Amino acid sequence: MQSEYRAARGAELAAKCADWMAANPDALRYIERRALEETAAERRFSVRLLLEEARRKDFTDREGRGTRINNVIAPALARRIVEAHPEVRPFVRLRRSMVDDCEG
């Protein structure tokens, strides 16, 4: 029962992340660029810190509204960044998350 809940919640969080990524391409590019910069400098980084940096910028979403970033997407976003850019993996810590329990 608990594992079913974790899988469902993980899938929900992954979907929230995918929706945010689709709606906020400029902020996403910034976060990915920063992750790659930290990797190139061989520095460990936190995706939550990159989210905090992005919050301080003046990004807008596809609807022209100011970009809002909820920390609940951080685990899923970290995994998507690692999937898209495997070279960052040694520099980012992926703690266990409900996102790991969802299918796909």
Side-chain angles (χ1 to χ4, degrees):
M1 196 69 135
Q2 181 72 4
S3 64
E4 291 172 11
Y5 168 78
R6 287 183 60 84
R9 181 69 176 138
E12 180 184 323
L13 295 173
K16 276 186 182 201
C17 179
D19 290 346
W20 182 88
M21 290 171 65
N24 297 280
D26 294 336
L28 176 60
R29 274 192 297 275
Y30 173 82
I31 291 165
E32 285 182 320
R33 180 176 54 79
R34 288 288 299 119
L36 292 170
E37 288 171 355
E38 293 301 300
T39 297
E42 298 185 354
R43 285 190 295 257
R44 291 186 57 79
F45 65 91
S46 158
V47 170
R48 285 190 191 243
L49 180 60
L50 299 183
L51 295 178
E52 194 58 43
E53 286 181 19
R55 284 185 184 102
R56 293 188 180 115
K57 304 292 180 186
D58 193 24
F59 294 114
T60 56
D61 65 15
R62 289 194 186 271
E63 303 292 320
R65 301 172 299 215
T67 293
R68 297 180 58 89
I69 308 171
N70 190 322
N71 277 342
V72 300
I73 70 166
L77 184 59
R79 284 151 180 81
R80 288 181 180 249
I81 291 171
V82 167
E83 184 179 315
H85 306 282
E87 66 273 24
V88 307
R89 180 61 187 99
F91 300 98
V92 63
R93 182 167 180 197
L94 298 179
R95 292 188 175 134
R96 181 110 172 94
S97 167
M98 284 186 257
V99 175
D100 297 323
D101 295 334
C102 71
E103 304 274 329

